[in-house]
Amino acid sequence: MWFLGCAIALRDDLTIILQDSDFERVDYVNRLSNMGILYISFNDKNMTSPMEEFGLNFEQTKILYSFQYFLLQQDIDRETEFVKKQLKRRYLNKWSKSVEKFLETLASNDLQKNNSFLYTDYSLFEEAFKIMKWSLDKRRPLYSIVLELSLFNLYAPFGTEEDEQFKKLKLSETFRPIIIETLVFFANELGVEKEHVTRFKSNYQKWNNEITGSNPLNFLLGGLIGGAVVAAVAAAIAIPILVPLLAPMLAPGLSGAAAISAVLAALGGGAIAGGGFGMAGGMAVIVGGGAILGTGAGSGISSLFAQSPNLAVREAAKFLVTFNDIILVQEDVIKQEIALNARNIIKGQRNAINELEEQILEMQMARTNNQEQISNLQQVVKYLRKALEISQNLLKSFLYKNGLQ
């Protein structure tokens, strides 16, 4: 599973990151334990390649959502209009419940399930993400968190009837000028260089342009499944919001926690027992554009892309940001390992495209009334082939620069 964790009581595992001389880290662990935080994340050595470069485990996901919580809270604190402030508080309350319900479905053990809540006290949160940072043997997840934060769309719709009351919500006039400054502060808290915030944003738009050959706003505002989904899928990380929208298509007849689990599994290519990525693959949909590597693994992501080819553009653009600005520039991984991982990722892109083309061929041979879906998937293949071409060129440049050709 992607969301692997272990309790602080498992001392054999703790010795991996806590050496006898590392008193400061031990002190933080003990303090968190005393405050009831008994969970600490470790890398799962069985993570599926190449998807492992695009995932966050349970605690990392929880920390990402908590950063988003504080981003929303800061906007609310700066809202000067009383009525809007109250409405934003209602939105945050609903958003928080949605996220915590989502986190609960990700829990793989009772310990995680009992701690599937957002951090809403910043001092407690600070302790938690310090422990998370120190538990990593590679810093890639920190950059993935900052990427998702940089692209986070505040006040995205939930896809429910309540959206009507929230549809006019936007950043307060006093927070808008300093949101980049706030994101830079969060990046600094995670030890990520501040320039990555603006770099992620600008390169995301650049890749959108290159993939489509058009203004990125054109595809974000049109051609999606429905009105509520237009803004929802534009959000950088919207799985809890998207679940009620996708459940009728990917998990008919299910609701609540069962629907969330089924949608995640469908997006990731089906349950693990069925040979897919299961819950692990599902999480990649919301982290770093890894969704495009799962398009051929099952009907989940390909079904979604068949309804909305422009969603594939968004994911492919985020994928390229991850590939170029995170994976290829890692300083804590040797260049040969980066090159090997990058080649595996590109192989994953090719495999996904090939499987999509096979799916299109099967649909054409079926001679059913599915021409629109066929046309959409053909457009998806076109987008993904462009992303593949860009990835290959980026890797060639990396290999040449580092003398690895």
Side-chain angles (χ1 to χ4, degrees):
M1 293 290 292
W2 285 77
F3 309 100
L4 184 72
C6 51
I8 286 176
L10 301 179
R11 296 300 173 183
D12 289 342
D13 282 343
L14 277 178
T15 57
I16 295 173
I17 61 165
L18 299 178
Q19 305 302 321
D20 291 339
S21 59
D22 204 344
F23 296 114
E24 188 177 9
R25 293 189 188 185
V26 173
D27 178 60
Y28 270 114
V29 171
N30 289 336
R31 288 161 64 186
L32 286 176
S33 179
N34 291 336
M35 288 183 285
I37 301 177
L38 300 178
Y39 175 84
I40 183 168
S41 302
F42 293 90
N43 290 336
D44 182 358
K45 302 306 180 183
N46 297 314
M47 293 171 76
T48 305
S49 179
M51 298 290 281
E52 66 184 71
E53 298 290 347
F54 297 87
L56 300 178
N57 65 23
F58 180 87
E59 182 70 3
Q60 293 158 4
T61 303
K62 177 177 168 179
I63 284 171
L64 167 59
Y65 278 123
S66 296
F67 270 118
Q68 292 179 344
Y69 170 89
F70 285 107
L71 199 62
L72 284 162
Q73 186 62 62
Q74 289 209 30
D75 178 63
I76 294 171
D77 290 343
R78 287 171 172 78
E79 179 59 65
T80 56
E81 296 186 30
F82 178 77
V83 174
K84 286 185 179 178
K85 184 186 284 281
Q86 293 301 105
L87 189 59
K88 286 183 176 182
R89 283 174 175 163
R90 287 204 295 273
Y91 178 94
L92 180 58
N93 181 59
K94 180 174 176 60
W95 181 89
S96 299
K97 288 180 179 178
S98 173
V99 168
E100 290 181 341
K101 186 175 182 180
F102 172 63
L103 288 172
E104 187 175 355
T105 69
L106 300 181
S108 60
N109 54 54
D110 289 340
L111 187 60
Q112 291 179 2
K113 193 163 289 188
N114 292 334
N115 287 278
S116 56
F117 53 81
L118 291 168
Y119 297 105
T120 56
D121 179 292
Y122 198 83
S123 60
L124 183 63
F125 179 45
E126 191 173 27
E127 304 279 5
F129 67 69
K130 282 182 179 179
I131 289 291
M132 184 269 292
K133 285 196 298 181
W134 282 330
S135 73
L136 297 173
D137 60 355
K138 295 179 182 178
R139 300 179 70 240
R140 193 276 309 161
L142 303 178
Y143 290 85
S144 295
I145 290 173
V146 172
L147 169 60
E148 297 294 350
L149 274 175
S150 300
L151 302 179
F152 179 51
N153 181 20
L154 283 74
Y155 306 115
F158 295 100
T160 66
E161 295 178 355
E162 294 178 87
D163 285 341
E164 184 66 25
Q165 62 176 314
F166 299 129
K167 68 179 182 180
K168 293 184 178 180
L169 289 181
K170 58 184 180 180
L171 289 179
S172 64
E173 295 301 320
T174 53
F175 187 53
R176 187 181 302 276
I178 63 169
I179 187 170
I180 296 296
E181 180 182 331
T182 305
L183 290 170
V184 166
F185 171 78
F186 287 160
N188 183 66
E189 289 279 78
L190 290 172
V192 173
E193 300 81 359
K194 63 180 182 181
E195 59 268 18
H196 280 82
V197 171
T198 52
R199 182 184 303 165
F200 287 158
K201 283 178 170 289
S202 62
N203 285 347
Y204 174 71
Q205 292 201 355
K206 180 183 76 171
W207 298 129
N208 277 323
N209 279 329
E210 292 209 22
I211 292 169
T212 62
S214 64
N215 189 314
L217 290 179
N218 291 340
F219 72 82
L220 281 178
L221 297 178
L224 299 178
I225 300 172
V229 187
V230 170
V233 296
I237 180 167
I239 283 295
I241 295 173
L242 282 175
V243 163
L245 298 170
L246 302 182
M249 180 171 65
L250 301 181
L254 296 180
S255 60
I260 294 176
S261 297
V263 167
L264 280 173
L267 290 174
I272 292 175
F277 294 121
M279 294 288 285
M283 276 307 299
V285 172
I286 62 170
V287 177
I292 70 170
L293 298 177
T295 51
S299 63
I301 296 173
S302 59
S303 293
L304 184 56
F305 285 174
Q307 299 292 323
S308 172
N310 295 324
L311 179 57
V313 179
R314 184 187 73 82
E315 288 299 316
K318 189 159 60 167
F319 169 91
L320 289 171
V321 175
T322 299
F323 189 76
N324 187 55
D325 296 318
I326 298 178
I327 294 172
L328 292 182
V329 297
Q330 295 174 96
E331 296 181 353
D332 52 0
V333 180
I334 61 173
K335 299 297 188 262
Q336 290 83 355
E337 183 179 344
I338 292 176
L340 177 61
N341 290 340
R343 287 190 176 100
N344 286 336
I345 289 168
I346 288 175
K347 182 179 179 181
Q349 287 181 268
R350 292 197 194 100
N351 290 341
I353 292 171
N354 291 339
E355 291 192 36
L356 271 181
E357 290 179 328
E358 288 183 13
Q359 182 179 342
I360 292 171
L361 181 59
E362 290 177 2
M363 293 171 69
Q364 290 172 330
M365 294 176 64
R367 296 182 180 180
T368 55
N369 187 22
N370 55 6
Q371 187 53 49
E372 182 179 357
Q373 287 192 342
I374 291 173
S375 177
N376 285 346
L377 284 178
Q378 288 172 333
Q379 190 65 45
V380 169
V381 168
K382 177 183 175 182
Y383 291 147
L384 295 186
R385 283 203 175 280
K386 182 61 179 178
L388 173 60
E389 176 189 336
I390 295 171
S391 299
Q392 291 171 329
N393 289 335
L394 291 171
L395 178 56
K396 286 179 183 178
S397 177
F398 171 83
L399 295 174
Y400 177 80
K401 179 181 177 181
N402 292 281
L404 297 175
Q405 286 183 315

Short mmCIF file of all heavy atoms in Angstrom, two decimals, residues 247-293:
data_model
loop_
_atom_site.label_atom_id
_atom_site.label_comp_id
_atom_site.label_asym_id
_atom_site.label_seq_id
_atom_site.Cartn_x
_atom_site.Cartn_y
_atom_site.Cartn_z
N ALA A 247 -18.85 8.98 -8.27
CA ALA A 247 -19.40 7.72 -7.77
C ALA A 247 -20.47 7.11 -8.68
O ALA A 247 -20.45 5.91 -8.94
CB ALA A 247 -19.94 7.90 -6.35
N PRO A 248 -21.42 7.90 -9.22
CA PRO A 248 -22.43 7.29 -10.09
C PRO A 248 -21.83 6.63 -11.32
O PRO A 248 -22.39 5.66 -11.84
CB PRO A 248 -23.31 8.49 -10.48
CG PRO A 248 -23.13 9.46 -9.37
CD PRO A 248 -21.69 9.32 -8.97
N MET A 249 -20.69 7.14 -11.80
CA MET A 249 -20.07 6.59 -13.00
C MET A 249 -19.11 5.45 -12.67
O MET A 249 -19.08 4.43 -13.36
CB MET A 249 -19.30 7.70 -13.74
CG MET A 249 -18.60 7.22 -15.02
SD MET A 249 -17.93 8.59 -15.98
CE MET A 249 -16.67 9.19 -14.86
N LEU A 250 -18.31 5.62 -11.60
CA LEU A 250 -17.27 4.65 -11.30
C LEU A 250 -17.66 3.66 -10.21
O LEU A 250 -17.05 2.60 -10.10
CB LEU A 250 -15.99 5.38 -10.86
CG LEU A 250 -15.40 6.37 -11.87
CD1 LEU A 250 -14.13 7.00 -11.32
CD2 LEU A 250 -15.10 5.69 -13.20
N ALA A 251 -18.64 4.03 -9.37
CA ALA A 251 -19.06 3.13 -8.29
C ALA A 251 -20.58 3.18 -8.12
O ALA A 251 -21.08 3.58 -7.08
CB ALA A 251 -18.36 3.53 -6.99
N PRO A 252 -21.33 2.79 -9.15
CA PRO A 252 -22.80 2.87 -9.08
C PRO A 252 -23.36 2.06 -7.94
O PRO A 252 -22.94 0.93 -7.68
CB PRO A 252 -23.24 2.29 -10.44
CG PRO A 252 -22.07 1.48 -10.92
CD PRO A 252 -20.85 2.17 -10.40
N GLY A 253 -24.31 2.67 -7.23
CA GLY A 253 -24.98 1.97 -6.14
C GLY A 253 -24.32 2.12 -4.79
O GLY A 253 -24.89 1.71 -3.78
N LEU A 254 -23.13 2.71 -4.75
CA LEU A 254 -22.43 2.87 -3.49
C LEU A 254 -22.49 4.32 -3.02
O LEU A 254 -22.65 5.24 -3.80
CB LEU A 254 -20.96 2.45 -3.63
CG LEU A 254 -20.71 0.98 -3.96
CD1 LEU A 254 -19.21 0.72 -4.07
CD2 LEU A 254 -21.32 0.07 -2.91
N SER A 255 -22.34 4.50 -1.71
CA SER A 255 -22.32 5.84 -1.13
C SER A 255 -21.42 5.85 0.08
O SER A 255 -20.97 4.80 0.55
CB SER A 255 -23.74 6.29 -0.74
OG SER A 255 -24.28 5.40 0.24
N GLY A 256 -21.16 7.03 0.59
CA GLY A 256 -20.35 7.17 1.81
C GLY A 256 -18.94 6.64 1.63
O GLY A 256 -18.33 6.77 0.58
N ALA A 257 -18.43 6.02 2.71
CA ALA A 257 -17.05 5.53 2.71
C ALA A 257 -16.83 4.48 1.63
O ALA A 257 -15.77 4.44 0.99
CB ALA A 257 -16.70 4.94 4.08
N ALA A 258 -17.82 3.65 1.39
CA ALA A 258 -17.68 2.62 0.36
C ALA A 258 -17.50 3.25 -1.02
O ALA A 258 -16.71 2.77 -1.84
CB ALA A 258 -18.90 1.71 0.36
N ALA A 259 -18.22 4.34 -1.27
CA ALA A 259 -18.11 5.02 -2.57
C ALA A 259 -16.72 5.64 -2.73
O ALA A 259 -16.12 5.58 -3.80
CB ALA A 259 -19.19 6.09 -2.69
N ILE A 260 -16.23 6.26 -1.65
CA ILE A 260 -14.91 6.87 -1.72
C ILE A 260 -13.85 5.82 -2.03
O ILE A 260 -13.00 6.01 -2.91
CB ILE A 260 -14.58 7.59 -0.40
CG1 ILE A 260 -15.52 8.79 -0.20
CG2 ILE A 260 -13.13 8.08 -0.39
CD1 ILE A 260 -15.35 9.50 1.13
N SER A 261 -13.90 4.70 -1.31
CA SER A 261 -12.93 3.63 -1.54
C SER A 261 -13.03 3.09 -2.96
O SER A 261 -12.01 2.86 -3.62
CB SER A 261 -13.16 2.49 -0.54
OG SER A 261 -12.95 2.94 0.78
N ALA A 262 -14.26 2.91 -3.43
CA ALA A 262 -14.44 2.35 -4.77
C ALA A 262 -13.97 3.30 -5.85
O ALA A 262 -13.36 2.90 -6.84
CB ALA A 262 -15.92 2.01 -4.99
N VAL A 263 -14.23 4.60 -5.67
CA VAL A 263 -13.78 5.59 -6.65
C VAL A 263 -12.27 5.64 -6.69
O VAL A 263 -11.65 5.69 -7.77
CB VAL A 263 -14.37 6.98 -6.34
CG1 VAL A 263 -13.66 8.06 -7.15
CG2 VAL A 263 -15.86 7.00 -6.65
N LEU A 264 -11.64 5.63 -5.53
CA LEU A 264 -10.18 5.63 -5.49
C LEU A 264 -9.61 4.41 -6.20
O LEU A 264 -8.67 4.50 -6.98
CB LEU A 264 -9.69 5.66 -4.04
CG LEU A 264 -9.71 7.02 -3.36
CD1 LEU A 264 -9.36 6.86 -1.89
CD2 LEU A 264 -8.74 7.97 -4.02
N ALA A 265 -10.19 3.25 -5.92
CA ALA A 265 -9.70 2.04 -6.55
C ALA A 265 -9.91 2.07 -8.05
O ALA A 265 -9.05 1.67 -8.83
CB ALA A 265 -10.40 0.81 -5.94
N ALA A 266 -11.06 2.59 -8.47
CA ALA A 266 -11.35 2.68 -9.90
C ALA A 266 -10.38 3.62 -10.60
O ALA A 266 -9.88 3.33 -11.68
CB ALA A 266 -12.79 3.15 -10.11
N LEU A 267 -10.12 4.75 -9.98
CA LEU A 267 -9.18 5.70 -10.56
C LEU A 267 -7.78 5.12 -10.64
O LEU A 267 -7.01 5.44 -11.54
CB LEU A 267 -9.14 6.99 -9.73
CG LEU A 267 -10.38 7.87 -9.80
CD1 LEU A 267 -10.27 9.03 -8.82
CD2 LEU A 267 -10.61 8.38 -11.21
N GLY A 268 -7.46 4.24 -9.71
CA GLY A 268 -6.13 3.64 -9.71
C GLY A 268 -6.04 2.37 -10.51
O GLY A 268 -4.99 1.76 -10.56
N GLY A 269 -7.11 1.95 -11.14
CA GLY A 269 -7.02 0.78 -12.01
C GLY A 269 -7.64 -0.47 -11.41
O GLY A 269 -7.36 -1.58 -11.86
N GLY A 270 -8.45 -0.31 -10.39
CA GLY A 270 -9.11 -1.48 -9.83
C GLY A 270 -8.45 -1.97 -8.56
O GLY A 270 -7.37 -1.55 -8.20
N ALA A 271 -9.12 -2.86 -7.88
CA ALA A 271 -8.61 -3.39 -6.62
C ALA A 271 -7.29 -4.13 -6.83
O ALA A 271 -7.02 -4.65 -7.90
CB ALA A 271 -9.64 -4.32 -5.98
N ILE A 272 -6.47 -4.14 -5.79
CA ILE A 272 -5.17 -4.81 -5.87
C ILE A 272 -5.35 -6.27 -6.26
O ILE A 272 -4.59 -6.82 -7.05
CB ILE A 272 -4.43 -4.70 -4.53
CG1 ILE A 272 -4.04 -3.24 -4.28
CG2 ILE A 272 -3.19 -5.57 -4.52
CD1 ILE A 272 -3.40 -3.00 -2.94
N ALA A 273 -6.38 -6.91 -5.73
CA ALA A 273 -6.62 -8.32 -6.04
C ALA A 273 -6.88 -8.53 -7.52
O ALA A 273 -6.66 -9.61 -8.07
CB ALA A 273 -7.81 -8.85 -5.24
N GLY A 274 -7.34 -7.49 -8.20
CA GLY A 274 -7.62 -7.59 -9.62
C GLY A 274 -6.42 -7.23 -10.48
O GLY A 274 -6.54 -7.15 -11.70
N GLY A 275 -5.29 -6.99 -9.86
CA GLY A 275 -4.08 -6.71 -10.62
C GLY A 275 -3.84 -5.23 -10.87
O GLY A 275 -2.89 -4.87 -11.56
N GLY A 276 -4.69 -4.36 -10.34
CA GLY A 276 -4.50 -2.93 -10.54
C GLY A 276 -3.68 -2.31 -9.43
O GLY A 276 -3.14 -2.99 -8.57
N PHE A 277 -3.62 -0.98 -9.43
CA PHE A 277 -2.88 -0.28 -8.39
C PHE A 277 -3.69 -0.16 -7.11
O PHE A 277 -3.18 0.20 -6.07
CB PHE A 277 -2.48 1.12 -8.86
CG PHE A 277 -1.51 1.11 -9.99
CD1 PHE A 277 -1.82 1.70 -11.19
CD2 PHE A 277 -0.27 0.50 -9.85
CE1 PHE A 277 -0.93 1.70 -12.24
CE2 PHE A 277 0.63 0.49 -10.89
CZ PHE A 277 0.30 1.09 -12.10
N GLY A 278 -5.00 -0.42 -7.20
CA GLY A 278 -5.84 -0.33 -6.03
C GLY A 278 -5.83 1.05 -5.42
O GLY A 278 -5.71 2.04 -6.10
N MET A 279 -5.98 1.12 -4.09
CA MET A 279 -6.01 2.40 -3.40
C MET A 279 -4.72 3.17 -3.62
O MET A 279 -4.71 4.39 -3.64
CB MET A 279 -6.24 2.18 -1.91
CG MET A 279 -7.59 1.60 -1.57
SD MET A 279 -8.93 2.78 -1.79
CE MET A 279 -8.67 3.81 -0.35
N ALA A 280 -3.62 2.47 -3.79
CA ALA A 280 -2.35 3.14 -3.98
C ALA A 280 -2.36 3.94 -5.26
O ALA A 280 -2.01 5.11 -5.28
CB ALA A 280 -1.22 2.11 -4.03
N GLY A 281 -2.78 3.34 -6.35
CA GLY A 281 -2.82 4.04 -7.61
C GLY A 281 -3.79 5.19 -7.59
O GLY A 281 -3.56 6.22 -8.19
N GLY A 282 -4.92 5.00 -6.87
CA GLY A 282 -5.91 6.06 -6.79
C GLY A 282 -5.35 7.34 -6.24
O GLY A 282 -5.69 8.43 -6.70
N MET A 283 -4.48 7.22 -5.24
CA MET A 283 -3.93 8.42 -4.64
C MET A 283 -3.09 9.21 -5.63
O MET A 283 -2.97 10.40 -5.53
CB MET A 283 -3.09 8.07 -3.42
CG MET A 283 -3.90 7.91 -2.15
SD MET A 283 -4.95 9.34 -1.82
CE MET A 283 -3.70 10.62 -1.66
N ALA A 284 -2.46 8.55 -6.59
CA ALA A 284 -1.62 9.25 -7.55
C ALA A 284 -2.41 10.22 -8.40
O ALA A 284 -1.84 11.12 -9.01
CB ALA A 284 -0.86 8.27 -8.43
N VAL A 285 -3.71 10.03 -8.46
CA VAL A 285 -4.54 10.93 -9.24
C VAL A 285 -4.45 12.35 -8.69
O VAL A 285 -4.52 13.31 -9.45
CB VAL A 285 -6.00 10.46 -9.22
CG1 VAL A 285 -6.93 11.49 -9.85
CG2 VAL A 285 -6.12 9.14 -9.96
N ILE A 286 -4.27 12.49 -7.42
CA ILE A 286 -4.28 13.82 -6.85
C ILE A 286 -2.87 14.32 -6.50
O ILE A 286 -2.73 15.37 -5.89
CB ILE A 286 -5.17 13.88 -5.58
CG1 ILE A 286 -4.64 12.97 -4.49
CG2 ILE A 286 -6.59 13.57 -5.92
CD1 ILE A 286 -5.31 13.13 -3.15
N VAL A 287 -1.86 13.58 -6.85
CA VAL A 287 -0.49 14.00 -6.52
C VAL A 287 0.37 13.99 -7.77
O VAL A 287 0.61 12.94 -8.36
CB VAL A 287 0.14 13.09 -5.44
CG1 VAL A 287 1.58 13.50 -5.17
CG2 VAL A 287 -0.67 13.17 -4.15
N GLY A 288 0.81 15.15 -8.17
CA GLY A 288 1.83 15.28 -9.19
C GLY A 288 1.49 14.81 -10.58
O GLY A 288 2.38 14.57 -11.39
N GLY A 289 0.21 14.66 -10.91
CA GLY A 289 -0.16 14.24 -12.25
C GLY A 289 0.03 12.78 -12.54
O GLY A 289 -0.02 12.35 -13.70
N GLY A 290 0.22 11.96 -11.51
CA GLY A 290 0.45 10.54 -11.73
C GLY A 290 -0.73 9.82 -12.36
O GLY A 290 -0.60 8.68 -12.78
N ALA A 291 -1.87 10.49 -12.46
CA ALA A 291 -3.05 9.87 -13.07
C ALA A 291 -2.77 9.39 -14.47
O ALA A 291 -3.31 8.36 -14.90
CB ALA A 291 -4.21 10.87 -13.10
N ILE A 292 -1.93 10.08 -15.22
CA ILE A 292 -1.75 9.69 -16.62
C ILE A 292 -1.01 8.36 -16.75
O ILE A 292 -1.06 7.73 -17.79
CB ILE A 292 -1.01 10.79 -17.43
CG1 ILE A 292 0.45 10.92 -17.00
CG2 ILE A 292 -1.73 12.12 -17.32
CD1 ILE A 292 1.26 11.81 -17.92
N LEU A 293 -0.32 7.94 -15.69
CA LEU A 293 0.33 6.64 -15.71
C LEU A 293 -0.65 5.52 -15.42
O LEU A 293 -0.34 4.34 -15.63
CB LEU A 293 1.48 6.58 -14.69
CG LEU A 293 2.62 7.58 -14.91
CD1 LEU A 293 3.63 7.47 -13.78
CD2 LEU A 293 3.28 7.35 -16.26
#
